[in-house]
Amino acid sequence: MNSTQVGTRIRKAKEVLGSSLVILGHHYQKDKVIQFADFRGDSLKLARDAASCREARYIVFCGVHFMAETAAILAQPGQTVLIPDQEAGCPLAEMANVDDVERAWAELGQVMDVEHEVMPVTYVNSSAALKAFCGRHGGLVCTSSNAQAVLTWALAWRPRVLFFPDQHLGRNTAKKMGIPLAEMLLWNPSRPFGGHEAGDLERAQIFLWRGFCNVHQRFHPEDVTAWREREPPTSTSVGIRVIVHPECPMEVVDLADEAGSTAYIIRRVEESPPGSKWAIGTEFNLVNRLAEEHADKFIVSLSPQPSYCRTMNLITVEKLARVLEGLARGEIINPVTVPPDVARDARTALERMLEVS
Ligand code: SF4
């Protein structure tokens, strides 16, 4: 079946479902998919959109599993969240599980008064169980848009933060806030006390979980220098500007001209004058879309190899059509549910975030 036929099926199902349906789409989705989203955005915007979709009975999330879970946590009673492919997980989110985090908490508890000295902060790219852990222990969630505001809040309440699962977002944000690298300890969950001497833990202000996004870790400092050499400033142009996502390694963020969430990257490109040149360090579907939407600007991926997120790309129009047609005939395909007690504590952590940012 060609894409026009699949598009017709989706449009028909949307028509049947009317206002009972809302489709949310993350910026990293393919053009073919995101064209059907009623709301598109980054994790923070979509979390807010999910919370505000009070009329819709069905929320179909075109993104990865933790995003749909977040929508399910924030959903109103009677709303159902669905994902076109249950296999679309986030490898970064899977790098921290609740058992390992509970163990880290207990180990820190042997050395300090964790409930008063350590604030747990989870990146939104994490399971509902981890968000619930934060909710239970006075902590909260952050996204790449609000990580600095969240860390500032966390450190105003407790002197240390346990940040998981993305070490790069934690390190880049803390560094921007002026926290010395010597006060950040990388926590290796497969080693006792994260791989440190128990006595060393007290010198840390930030414990950084050893997780990373394999899409953003593919950008290197050499990519930045290569583009600067290729597109240097001239008498009529400032040359290429490098803008990257804070999930990139610190060495890349330090060399870049700017770093920010996908929403920030999009805004900066949109606001720039015609003729601007950008090398962008984030997922390739977004870079490609920006290049197509801004043909009057020179927009390229920072990496010579397109950096796709494999699991985001598991969402296809065919799978979206199947889920929507199921709904149109009263069948729920691929619901995303969170146990009520986990949802309650996770919602506490998410609501703290929404209040802070
Ligand atoms: S781009 Fe990275 S963080 Fe985002 S969904 Fe893919 S693996 Fe996860």
Side-chain angles (χ1 to χ4, degrees):
M1 187 170 288
N2 65 36
S3 55
T4 316
Q5 289 167 315
V6 182
T8 307
R9 284 169 54 198
I10 291 174
R11 273 184 280 275
K12 266 193 192 152
K14 282 187 81 171
E15 218 175 289
V16 171
L17 292 159
S19 61
S20 69
L21 168 74
V22 70
I23 301 178
L24 306 181
H26 190 271
H27 287 310
Y28 293 165
Q29 291 291 298
K30 303 182 205 18
D31 288 350
K32 275 185 184 174
V33 172
I34 208 162
Q35 62 172 319
F36 295 109
D38 299 300
F39 296 96
R40 56 170 88 173
D42 63 359
S43 302
L44 178 61
K45 179 176 179 298
L46 292 175
R48 288 185 194 283
D49 291 337
S52 69
C53 293
R54 291 174 177 272
E55 285 163 27
R57 202 166 144 209
Y58 305 113
I59 299 172
V60 175
F61 210 116
C62 296
V64 289
H65 198 265
F66 77 82
M67 297 176 177
E69 247 188 5
T70 304
I73 293 163
L74 295 172
Q76 304 297 314
Q79 287 185 317
T80 303
V81 177
L82 305 94
I83 188 166
D85 187 334
Q86 291 275 22
E87 297 299 309
C90 164
L92 164 61
E94 286 156 19
M95 287 183 190
N97 66 56
V98 75
D99 292 341
D100 287 344
V101 170
E102 295 272 14
R103 200 172 57 247
W105 196 248
E107 287 174 345
L108 288 170
Q110 292 176 35
V111 181
M112 54 190 78
D113 175 4
V114 273
E115 296 294 342
H116 295 99
E117 280 188 60
V118 186
M119 185 68 82
V121 176
T122 187
Y123 188 24
V124 69
N125 298 37
S126 57
S127 67
L130 286 186
K131 294 180 178 82
F133 174 90
C134 290
R136 279 196 303 280
H137 294 282
L140 70 176
V141 179
C142 79
T143 70
S144 53
S145 292
N146 62 20
Q148 186 165 345
V150 167
L151 276 193
T152 303
W153 181 91
L155 289 169
W157 285 96
R158 297 184 191 171
R160 307 170 207 277
V161 163
L162 172 60
F163 188 94
F164 40 83
D166 185 36
Q167 58 171 298
H168 298 301
L169 177 65
R171 187 180 295 110
N172 288 321
T173 308
K175 191 173 179 209
K176 198 167 152 199
M177 291 164 64
I179 297 171
L181 286 177
E183 292 180 22
M184 302 181 210
L185 281 193
L186 192 60
W187 190 276
N188 179 349
S190 55
R191 306 263 308 273
F193 294 99
H196 303 282
E197 295 296 324
D200 286 345
L201 300 178
E202 286 195 338
R203 73 178 164 85
Q205 209 178 340
I206 313 278
F207 300 105
L208 297 168
W209 201 261
R210 205 185 58 165
F212 57 87
C213 162
N214 54 22
V215 175
H216 289 92
Q217 200 154 272
R218 273 181 242 154
F219 298 104
H220 304 289
E222 305 81 65
D223 300 331
V224 179
T225 38
W227 272 114
R228 290 216 172 109
E229 278 166 21
R230 236 169 111 176
E231 297 290 339
T234 64
S235 56
T236 54
S237 143
V238 293
I240 200 155
R241 284 188 72 76
V242 176
I243 187 166
V244 301
H245 193 279
E247 284 172 24
C248 292
M250 179 184 72
E251 296 74 15
V252 175
V253 171
D254 284 353
L255 266 185
D257 296 294
E258 301 180 50
S261 65
T262 48
Y264 178 82
I265 292 171
I266 293 168
R267 193 173 70 243
R268 292 292 295 133
V269 169
E270 282 173 355
E271 288 170 357
S272 64
S276 302
K277 297 179 181 181
W278 293 98
I280 304 180
T282 196
E283 209 273 346
F284 191 71
N285 278 318
L286 175 58
V287 179
N288 202 29
R289 184 172 312 124
L290 284 171
E292 281 172 13
E293 288 173 355
H294 300 274
D296 57 340
K297 298 166 194 174
F298 177 76
I299 295 170
V300 289
S301 170
L302 179 59
S303 166
Q305 304 297 331
S307 200
Y308 282 109
C309 176
R310 190 187 66 80
T311 49
M312 279 277 182
N313 281 292
L314 288 176
I315 307 295
T316 62
V317 277
E318 289 78 10
K319 292 172 189 169
L320 176 61
R322 180 169 166 264
V323 165
L324 296 186
E325 287 178 338
L327 287 177
R329 59 174 185 270
E331 187 187 346
I332 307 280
I333 298 170
N334 294 345
V336 176
T337 55
V338 178
D341 54 331
V342 175
R344 181 200 59 217
D345 293 342
R347 195 177 308 119
T348 302
L350 280 163
E351 285 172 354
R352 275 190 198 121
M353 172 189 83
L354 294 172
E355 276 167 28
V356 167
S357 59

